[in-house]
Amino acid sequence: MSAIPSSAAQAQSWRERLAGVAGFRIESLFVLAALAATMAILSPYFLSVSNFLNIVLATSVIGVLAIGMTFVISSAGIDLSVGSMLALSGVAGCILTAQFNLPWPVGIVACIGAGALAGLANGFFITKGAIPPFIVTLGMLGVARGLALVLTNGLPIYGLPAPIVFLGQGRPLGVPTPVIVLLLTALAAHVLLVHTRFGLYAQVIGDSEVAARAMGVRVERHKVMLYALSGALAGLAGLLFAARVNAGDPTAGTSYELTAITATIIGGTNLFGGRGSVVGTVIGALIMGVLQNGLNLLAVPSFYQQMAIGAVLVLAVWLDRISSAEGRRQ
Amino acid sequence: MLKHIIAGASIVALTLGLAASVSAADAPVYGVLMKTLSNPFWGAMEQGVRQGAKNAGVEYFLQAVESDQAAEPQLNTCNTMLERKPAVMITAAINSTILLPCLKHANEMKIPVVDLDGNLDPEITKKAGVDVAFHIGSDNEAAGAKGADYLAETVGKDAKGPVLVIEGLSGNITGQKRARGFAAELKKVAPGLAIVASLPGDWDSLKAANITNDTLQRNPDLVAIFCANDDMALGAVEAARAAGKDKLTVIGVDGNSNAVKSIVAGRLNASVAQLPYLVGMQAVENAKKVLAGEKVPEFTYVPTLVLTKAVLEEKKEPMLQYVK
């Protein structure tokens, strides 16, 4: 598949075999390991099961967003509206359950449904209107955020039904529920991207729309589904966010789209489409989670945190590119 | 062709609709420029402005920008508001310098300028040649200090242990003052309590929740968390509860409606209410006095009130009427 550069396809190295199975480049795992090792040396509190769960918990919302982003970017698209759709979805679920006292399953359906609807609208305008996804989703970034603010009059809605709070704060068998949700989502998305036509077509569209059409892929319909998926996952992330803080916040997720895109790119998904990896994206999100966690454990003051995060992001992608270039030369 | 006409027509209709929703008022009115309305603090301030205008019997028009970081858009909005020639400009500047060109212009137009929420720095305004009629707001350092006093009362002056401070957005003066005031007072009233980390929560409840979890890894014996606003405090208290740390004392600042709900529900321990409602109300009332040629104090600090479960349930505190 396109995850393997054709020039190196003759001899299957272990690198490529791993990449073939999980669809990601092993190098991003090295970056994660190096970062984790650094943090473990610097802070005695880093290496523990509870801190590991804590990192994955902190990564859950961004992780779910970035998984949706992976599908969209694989198809050479972009979704700038995920942060706003997250807020709109969380608010929708909270209004129905906390203000209208509807049962909690309605809240869950409303969160994911609101996101999916907003994503469908994105897909509709991108395909039917032939407007670049950057513009359409930038528009949705404003519309969805504005709608969330209008619906709540700008104020967070506090207090959710206990089963939804459990989704954010519960710990079945000691594992925080959002961690389980992230892992299940990642598993399903991985299968969808690597082992189904849906995922394969997304990457083919990203590689060449002309080729995709020649193969008989219904490109427009497929794109609408991809943006709807991204919206639905933003809705799921909105549900997790609201459940974790027990409130529907119309300002939730501001600028999260950039973090989600960053996690996706660090994970090895090609910014210009054609190649994507859910496993890589989760690793990318974890790289950022480990960094933030380490900086907090070390109690690094805020101005230095911003510098460190910016520098490590560029370094991570750079190291990844260097080592993958070496891999090709072998 | 038809598509073009439809697209053009819808743009015109949208513009007209927006224009119609902003009713044109020719009578002299007060101009109020806020940071944002997407935040309970500013929502309460707006209610106060409304009540103050009612009390004073004056008309006003209020504008705000999309977020409390949209500095340049706020300057543009300020300039646009001057086009309507308001009787007075009551402004809550996003930072101490951004609005100065606009306020200087207001001075030239003989429109008095009011510093709402104390975001202007008197030294800088003097240097820029901007004349401010009066400053009104909350003392953020005092609010932080009250949080420390409450903590010392709750856990005892001789208590020992680690304390976490969650700051606001990096570089935001309000959050810095609150955190600074808390730290300085805590040293005095409970020297045994040590601030082990002071981290940026960026006003984001989820970030505050993550910081709480991270710090609990390092300091499982954490005694208290002070957050520079209520949204972050609500995130922190939910994270602490989820981690099974029910005895942790969590304190926020603002006294917003969600914090009140959480305190009554026995989750959040306390919030230092800043009474933005009172700030907004007095700002308009004092502005009327300035226009009538009366003298008002150059600096007015509206008092703060520590909200706890007991205070909220007894309902005896007269200041509670200003908690919105």
Side-chain angles (χ1 to χ4, degrees), chain A residues 229-252:
Chain A
L229 176 67
S230 175
L233 286 174
L236 179 60
L239 175 66
L240 289 179
F241 190 122
R244 278 199 66 196
V245 301
N246 196 5
D249 179 358
T251 64

Side-chain angles (χ1 to χ4, degrees), chain A residues 50 54 156 169 244 256 293, chain B residues 204 210 213-214 217 238 258:
Chain A
S50 74
N54 173 38
Q169 303 186 3
R244 278 199 66 196
Y256 280 26
N293 172 265
Chain B
D204 181 331
N210 290 339
N213 285 334
D214 287 350
Q217 294 296 323
E238 297 299 330
N258 293 315

Side-chain angles (χ1 to χ4, degrees), chain B residues 97-274:
Chain B
T97 54
I98 186 70
L99 289 185
L100 293 178
C102 172
L103 300 181
K104 177 129 180 120
H105 191 206
N107 279 169
E108 286 159 12
M109 291 169 75
K110 306 261 181 289
I111 297 171
V113 168
V114 174
D115 173 24
L116 183 63
D117 199 40
N119 291 289
L120 296 179
D121 183 334
E123 261 180 50
I124 297 178
T125 50
K126 245 168 231 149
K127 252 186 225 161
V130 171
D131 181 34
V132 179
F134 64 90
H135 304 259
I136 185 164
S138 328
D139 186 338
N140 284 303
E141 285 198 32
K146 273 211 175 174
D149 291 338
Y150 166 80
L151 180 59
E153 274 168 38
T154 313
V155 298
K157 288 186 184 305
D158 307 318
K160 284 191 174 46
V163 172
L164 167 66
V165 173
I166 303 182
E167 304 163 6
L169 192 72
S170 290
N172 175 284
I173 188 73
T174 306
Q176 283 175 6
K177 280 185 180 170
R178 290 173 180 179
R180 207 188 297 150
F182 175 81
E185 181 76 2
L186 192 67
K187 222 179 243 176
K188 278 187 235 157
V189 296
L193 294 174
I195 295 175
V196 289
S198 192
L199 298 166
D202 295 347
W203 305 135
D204 181 331
S205 54
L206 191 66
K207 270 194 188 160
N210 290 339
I211 288 173
T212 301
N213 285 334
D214 287 350
T215 307
L216 282 172
Q217 294 296 323
R218 195 174 71 151
N219 302 102
D221 55 339
L222 202 64
V223 175
I225 304 174
F226 174 79
C227 297
N229 82 351
D230 279 341
D231 283 347
M232 295 194 295
L234 291 170
V237 77
E238 297 299 330
R241 287 295 176 116
K245 305 276 179 187
D246 294 358
K247 286 187 183 147
L248 239 166
T249 305
V250 182
I251 304 163
V253 181
D254 280 345
N256 75 33
S257 55
N258 293 315
V260 167
K261 276 184 206 154
S262 182
I263 291 169
V264 172
R267 293 177 92 83
L268 187 63
N269 297 83
S271 170
V272 185
Q274 291 236 303

Side-chain angles (χ1 to χ4, degrees), chain A residues 7-196:
Chain A
S7 58
Q10 286 93 351
Q12 277 252 324
S13 74
W14 58 275
R15 229 184 249 275
E16 284 152 13
R17 257 177 280 135
L18 236 169
V21 174
F24 76 104
R25 289 199 312 260
I26 193 76
E27 288 80 4
S28 47
L29 207 51
F30 292 157
V31 173
L32 178 60
L35 195 61
T38 313
M39 292 306 178
I41 293 166
L42 291 176
S43 170
Y45 310 100
F46 183 81
L47 272 188
S48 71
V49 173
S50 74
N51 192 45
F52 172 73
L53 288 176
N54 173 38
I55 291 169
V56 187
L57 172 63
T59 309
S60 54
V61 168
I62 284 292
V64 170
L65 279 186
I67 289 171
M69 190 68 78
T70 305
F71 282 85
V72 171
I73 294 185
S74 296
S75 75
I78 193 87
D79 192 346
L80 300 178
S81 61
V82 290
S84 297
M85 293 193 294
L86 175 156
L88 178 61
S89 311
V91 160
C94 281
I95 288 179
L96 293 180
T97 53
Q99 289 186 345
F100 291 97
N101 292 318
L102 293 172
W104 62 269
V106 177
I108 292 179
V109 172
C111 282
I112 298 171
L117 276 178
L120 266 180
N122 277 337
F124 176 82
F125 285 106
I126 287 165
T127 54
K128 294 283 178 225
I131 310 169
F134 187 96
I135 298 299
V136 172
T137 59
L138 187 64
M140 182 58 78
L141 179 148
V143 172
R145 174 77 59 197
L147 187 55
L149 288 165
V150 166
L151 288 174
T152 57
N153 203 12
L155 309 179
I157 299 163
Y158 176 78
L160 287 159
I164 293 187
V165 175
F166 180 82
L167 206 55
Q169 303 186 3
R171 284 179 178 258
L173 304 171
V175 180
T177 334
V179 171
I180 300 170
V181 174
L182 172 65
L183 295 181
L184 290 178
T185 308
L187 185 68
H190 172 69
V191 171
L192 192 62
L193 185 67
V194 177
H195 298 292
T196 70

